[in-house]
Amino acid sequence: MRKFLFLCLVALFGGTLAQAQTQKLISPVFWQAGVQAIHQEEMKGTTVFSFTTFRHFFINLEAVNLNAYQLHRTGSHYRLVAKDPKVGLGTYLADVTKAGVFLTTSRYKGLLKDAPSSLIIEDAKITILLAAVLEIEDSSLPRFNYEYYVTQSSGACSFSNTYYSIGWGVNTAGAIAHLNHVIRKNRELGAFHSCVALSTQPETHCLFMGCFATFAWCCTN
């Protein structure tokens, strides 16, 4: 587990103390998902991760902003939680084991590698969960701060107008297939009517729990 950069003490319920930390180094996939920083607090045996974001990204039929979610870790178990208590998110759990990631949702319970591809395509919350778990668990990811990415993103499109579509799969082919589904569905809904493609082909990132594929757009609205 990587070491977080900034450490302070905050008062929690009942006057007890817990560590609060902020990580400002983000992997390329999490950056493309619009995350600027990750915040961590320890609460009664559970580590709570929340996200500061600068924009949304596209997945399945949704424009997703990760600041609407938290990731709760207890031991090796991760749970995706909606920050708004009125949102009935349902069960989204990932347990990182030696055999692989064990996934629990209302529709599937078993190893991630054995999950049907239709499950990933139809449920964007699983990709959100996996992207967040990967960001926390994989210390081998290259990471840079917000300012670095802003500098590197100058070019054919302004930083503020660049958006990404994201797909996930157990391998490169699966990730690209999911990404193509995401793009096709969003086009059908008119999500890209003010956008032009910046990528000529998907960019893929493959790590211990599978592959992510991303595609860049320049959007005027």
Side-chain angles (χ1 to χ4, degrees):
M1 182 64 60
R2 66 183 184 274
K3 182 177 180 181
F4 280 73
L5 299 180
F6 300 95
L7 178 64
C8 64
L9 291 176
V10 294
L12 297 178
F13 303 106
T16 59
L17 293 178
Q19 289 184 342
Q21 306 174 33
T22 297
Q23 169 64 282
K24 293 188 176 182
L25 297 181
I26 304 299
S27 75
V29 171
F30 233 43
W31 161 261
Q32 290 164 342
V35 178
Q36 183 173 347
I38 305 170
H39 310 287
Q40 171 186 336
E41 290 187 19
E42 304 293 333
M43 295 184 178
K44 300 179 180 179
T46 296
T47 305
V48 177
F49 300 93
S50 56
F51 314 106
T52 295
T53 61
F54 56 91
R55 66 160 62 98
H56 62 265
F57 66 100
F58 298 105
I59 183 169
N60 290 12
L61 306 182
E62 302 178 45
V64 175
N65 197 315
L66 284 178
N67 68 7
Y69 300 93
Q70 291 179 335
L71 192 66
H72 291 193
R73 182 183 68 198
T74 305
S76 63
H77 297 268
Y78 289 85
R79 177 187 293 272
L80 186 67
V81 177
K83 289 174 66 175
D84 185 347
K86 297 179 181 179
V87 175
L89 188 61
T91 300
Y92 289 89
L93 298 172
D95 186 13
V96 181
T97 73
K98 291 182 179 179
V101 176
F102 192 89
L103 185 65
T104 301
T105 74
S106 59
R107 297 176 54 194
Y108 176 79
K109 185 174 183 179
L111 288 173
L112 176 61
K113 64 182 181 181
D114 298 328
S117 58
S118 59
L119 181 73
I120 306 300
I121 288 175
E122 294 168 6
D123 196 337
K125 303 300 187 298
I126 293 175
T127 301
I128 295 170
L129 170 63
L130 296 178
V133 172
L134 179 67
E135 187 72 18
I136 303 304
E137 280 287 322
D138 198 326
S139 60
S140 69
L141 291 172
R143 301 175 193 277
F144 305 95
N145 61 22
Y146 177 84
E147 291 76 16
Y148 170 86
Y149 285 114
V150 171
T151 301
Q152 294 299 308
S153 63
S154 61
C157 185
S158 68
F159 162 74
S160 60
N161 288 340
T162 303
Y163 292 82
Y164 290 87
S165 298
I166 294 179
W168 182 89
V170 295
N171 52 37
T172 299
I176 292 174
H178 184 204
L179 176 65
N180 289 337
H181 168 83
V182 169
I183 293 172
R184 183 174 65 254
K185 287 298 183 182
N186 278 277
R187 276 178 168 162
E188 290 174 358
L189 292 176
F192 298 141
H193 71 276
S194 63
C195 304
V196 294
L198 289 178
S199 300
T200 56
Q201 60 185 5
E203 177 182 344
T204 57
H205 309 264
C206 293
L207 297 141
F208 79 97
M209 68 169 58
C211 297
F212 286 88
T214 62
F215 194 90
W217 303 90
C218 188
C219 304
T220 55
N221 291 319

